[in-house]
């Protein structure tokens, strides 16, 4: 079995994102990710992106290195980059979640995560056990949603 690599980051949009701009990012993501076996989630809230990319390590690394150079966002902070036993979003080439549609517990998890990110040094975030627990809680709150 090929192992699954999961890469999660947050970033700041450089300018206001219109629904059309978000659609074009998503269309491109789906076009590229599907043939590469990459799945994931993109969330946009309050001018910040939160993205999960999962798939074969070489594909995830290649796609993330393109995303990192994209001028539509900045201040990219990697929260997790590790091999995992299974995908959290197996059915989404890139699922989009509007933050307004989050359930209260999902929103609470996201707010907690945002506070943690604000408190920790960016360099230590991806190795922080507290961040890892918080991310798992957040991803777990999508489980039945992502299986749909
Ligand atoms: C927040 C954000 C998320 C993105 N997510 C993806 C993605 O999951 N997959 C992808 O291929 N491109 C994604 N992109 C677009 C890439 O940065 C880049 O424009 C694109 O991969 C170029 O593809 P192309 O060479 O086929 O034109 C994203 C861009 C932004 C700003």
């Amino acid at each position: 079995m090929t192992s699954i690599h999961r890469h999660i980051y947050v970033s700041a949009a450089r300018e206001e994102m219109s629904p059309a701009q978000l659609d074009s990012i998503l269309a491109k993501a789906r076009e590229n990710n599907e043939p590469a076996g990459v799945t994931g989630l993109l969330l946009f809230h309050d001018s910040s992106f939160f993205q999960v990319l999962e798939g074969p390590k070489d594909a995830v690394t290649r796609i993330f290195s393109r995303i990192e150079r994209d001028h539509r966002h900045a201040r990219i902070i990697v929260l997790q980059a590790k091999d995992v036993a299974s995908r959290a979003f197996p059915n989404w080439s890139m699922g989009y979640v509007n933050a307004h549609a989050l359930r209260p517990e999902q929103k609470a998890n996201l707010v907690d995560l945002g506070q943690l990110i604000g408190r920790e040094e960016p360099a230590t975030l991806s190795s922080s056990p507290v961040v890892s627990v918080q991310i798992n809680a957040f991803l777990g709150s999508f489980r039945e949603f992502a299986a749909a």
Side-chain angles (χ1 to χ4, degrees):
M1 198 190 85
T2 345
S3 74
I4 298 296
H5 193 71
R6 182 184 291 150
H7 204 105
I8 304 182
Y9 72 86
V10 289
S11 66
R14 277 201 196 261
E15 51 186 50
E16 277 299 305
M17 283 280 147
S18 66
Q21 283 171 305
L22 280 171
D23 277 351
S24 112
I25 290 176
L26 279 171
K28 176 55 80 181
R30 288 167 182 156
E31 177 190 320
N32 289 337
N33 297 3
E34 219 213 301
V38 171
T39 51
L41 167 88
L42 180 67
L43 198 133
F44 182 65
H45 176 56
D46 230 1
S47 299
S48 296
F49 291 107
F50 172 96
Q51 191 173 28
V52 181
L53 294 158
E54 305 176 309
K57 189 171 187 173
D58 56 342
V60 169
T61 306
R62 178 168 40 85
I63 288 173
F64 180 68
S65 69
R66 280 206 306 263
I67 296 175
E68 242 183 338
R69 294 194 300 267
D70 195 309
H71 292 291
R72 288 171 285 190
H73 61 173
R75 301 210 304 273
I76 296 173
I77 299 174
V78 175
L79 300 179
Q80 192 172 83
K82 65 171 192 184
D83 288 346
V84 291
S86 61
R87 297 176 194 247
F89 306 101
N91 303 321
W92 287 354
S93 58
M94 190 44 65
Y96 177 67
V97 174
N98 184 321
H100 299 295
L102 292 177
R103 293 197 306 267
E105 81 273 17
Q106 291 171 328
K107 202 161 236 169
N109 275 323
L110 189 62
V111 169
D112 288 351
L113 188 59
Q115 284 172 350
L116 264 182
I117 294 167
R119 271 203 306 270
E120 300 232 2
E121 281 297 316
T124 62
L125 274 166
S126 64
S127 58
S128 157
V130 194
V131 170
S132 174
V133 166
Q134 195 56 47
I135 284 177
N136 286 343
F138 185 61
L139 296 183
S141 69
F142 281 95
R143 205 144 283 153
E144 88 281 6
F145 191 53

